[in-house]
Amino acid sequence: KSYNVAILGATGAVGQTMIKVLEERNFPVNEIKFLASERSAGKEVEYYGMKYKVEAVCEEAFENVDIALFSAGGERSKKWAPIAASKGAVVIDNSSAFRMDPEVPLVVPEVNPEDVKWHKGIIANPNCSTIQMVVALYPIHKVKKIKRIIVATYQAVSGAGATAIEDLELETKAVMEGKYFYPRALPHHIAFNVIPRIDNFEPNGYTKEELKMINETRKIMHEPDIKVSPTCVRVPVYVGHSEAVTIETQEPITAEEAREILKNAPGVVVEDDPFNNVYPTPIEVAGKDDVFVGRIRKDLGFENGLSMWIVGDNLRKGAATNAVQIAELLVKYELL
Ligand code: A2P
């Protein structure tokens, strides 16, 4: 059996990766259509080596669609997801628009696959930083309950979209030539810099990105009381988010125990041999679907503490791959 698929945001950084991931995983596609704004209508995208025309999104575009993969920003999701769902499509939405809606499952297939079963037409794909963190922490949590998570992120510019990727390149070139390129996508110059702000600030001093890490972790792990202390930072990296994570568990856990758990965890690769300079970095992780963990060590700051370094490709596991895995769950559980 094969399915009709639509991608909204097909020209964007995540949309382009969705196309690649559908190909690589051989998702059973019958018909496929590529949707974006009117600006892109008539542009071409490639799928299995063939050129397809991009269409401007409209209501009719969702007729006869089984699965609609959305990555065109929250406002577009709010407008088009209910329309696509009313026409019978299951929407897998990469924006933050529906993630905390109690009627909408928020799914990481390695953690809470069964949650897709109660969808009502929309399933949310979590925030990129949250996905890679829970993929690595949930297997530990199942063995030694995690009470608290302290995390600082080092997030790539591709998470802010195609213009941010271009800006990093143009700013870098300008600096090398003794010139200045005025940033368009981020609130500060990002080349040769780091910016401790991702998404907007809230009155409590946290950014929305940080609050996503708190709230989404609780929803995905079904742990409404787990404590999360995040600081989210943009760094001049094209692809791949890194995270310095410290957890506090209820019972003591050794680094060796954690390493063994993670070696057997789905979607996780342990790269942890620091004396030989083995630990994951975003350049090496970019283009891969797994979440990579290294620097696993007993934390010296408090009892029952464990620290580690988690790296994932934000466009893949943090977005496109996770969305396609959700589509695969819909096929597996015969929910289409
Ligand atoms: P377009 O290229 O036509 O602007 P990114 O996050 O990498 O910037 O990508 C955003 C994606 O969302 C692009 O595919 C973009 O299409 C799409 N998009 C932006 N605004 C709209 C809109 N009003 N309607 C449909 N798609 C949109």
Side-chain angles (χ1 to χ4, degrees):
K1 204 170 165 198
S2 59
Y3 304 90
N4 295 341
V5 175
I7 301 182
L8 175 60
T11 53
V14 172
Q16 286 288 305
T17 311
M18 284 171 164
I19 297 172
K20 260 189 255 166
V21 173
L22 285 171
E23 285 179 15
E24 288 169 7
R25 299 177 75 93
N26 252 314
F27 189 81
V29 172
N30 178 34
E31 280 174 23
I32 187 160
K33 56 174 91 173
F34 302 99
L35 307 173
S37 76
E38 278 175 11
R39 295 181 292 276
S40 298
K43 271 193 196 162
E44 287 180 332
V45 294
E46 241 180 75
Y47 175 66
Y48 279 110
M50 307 231 290
K51 295 216 188 302
Y52 289 74
K53 286 244 189 301
V54 175
E55 300 168 42
V57 60
C58 63
E59 289 204 17
E60 296 70 46
F62 296 106
E63 305 283 359
N64 286 319
V65 168
D66 300 306
I67 301 173
L69 300 171
F70 275 34
S71 193
E75 288 312 309
R76 267 70 66 187
S77 292
K78 277 185 205 150
K79 176 167 178 195
W80 295 107
I83 292 171
S86 76
K87 292 189 182 290
V90 181
V91 176
I92 301 171
D93 180 34
N94 192 48
S95 82
S96 59
F98 298 100
R99 288 181 191 149
M100 295 314 296
D101 185 330
E103 301 284 294
V104 173
L106 180 67
V107 176
V108 176
E110 291 84 348
V111 179
N112 60 334
E114 303 275 324
D115 280 342
V116 296
K117 291 181 178 167
W118 54 268
H119 85 78
K120 300 183 172 69
I122 303 175
I123 299 171
N125 206 41
N127 163 265
C128 42
S129 299
T130 309
I131 292 177
Q132 67 180 63
M133 186 173 82
V134 298
V135 166
L137 295 188
Y138 188 68
I140 297 175
H141 180 70
K142 279 197 291 184
V143 182
K144 301 273 168 128
K145 191 175 165 51
I146 298 174
K147 286 165 53 184
R148 181 188 307 274
I149 305 167
I150 300 165
V151 51
T153 69
Y154 304 70
Q155 299 185 219
V157 294
S158 49
T163 311
I165 301 176
E166 241 179 71
D167 277 13
L168 172 56
E169 184 176 339
L170 295 171
E171 291 173 17
T172 304
K173 278 191 185 144
V175 169
M176 302 314 278
E177 291 165 3
K179 297 179 189 149
Y180 185 79
F181 182 84
Y182 197 84
R184 298 170 298 176
L186 298 171
H188 290 272
H189 198 274
I190 184 67
F192 305 100
N193 205 6
V194 297
I195 307 173
R197 171 193 161 171
I198 297 181
D199 208 334
N200 293 331
F201 279 104
E202 292 284 316
N204 64 3
Y206 278 90
T207 59
K208 281 198 174 146
E209 183 84 352
E210 289 158 353
L211 298 179
K212 288 173 207 166
M213 291 193 79
I214 300 173
N215 296 324
E216 295 182 20
T217 297
R218 292 173 168 170
K219 181 167 173 179
I220 298 161
M221 289 176 54
H222 298 177
E223 288 292 0
D225 298 321
I226 196 167
K227 294 193 170 60
V228 187
S229 306
T231 304
C232 291
V233 181
R234 189 76 69 190
V235 297
V237 164
Y238 279 126
V239 176
H241 289 356
S242 308
E243 298 176 339
V245 175
T246 298
I247 58 172
E248 184 186 2
T249 49
Q250 195 120 42
E251 307 292 325
I253 180 168
T254 66
E256 200 39 54
E257 279 175 281
R259 232 173 261 123
E260 279 312 305
I261 292 169
L262 290 175
K263 275 182 189 160
N264 296 307
V268 177
V269 175
V270 175
E271 282 187 350
D272 194 14
D273 183 9
F275 292 105
N276 289 308
N277 264 321
V278 175
Y279 36 74
T281 70
I283 281 189
E284 282 125 5
V285 165
K288 299 183 180 153
D289 287 313
D290 289 314
V291 171
F292 291 73
V293 187
R295 299 289 321 273
I296 302 166
R297 60 202 191 275
K298 184 107 198 87
D299 186 81
L300 299 178
F302 48 83
E303 256 183 79
N304 297 354
L306 187 81
S307 290
M308 70 195 81
W309 176 248
I310 303 173
V311 185
D313 182 323
N314 54 300
L315 298 177
R316 282 183 172 260
K317 186 55 190 167
T321 303
N322 199 75
V324 174
Q325 286 176 311
I326 292 173
E328 290 169 349
L329 285 178
L330 293 171
V331 172
K332 177 177 158 191
Y333 295 142
E334 297 179 3
L335 295 170
L336 291 166

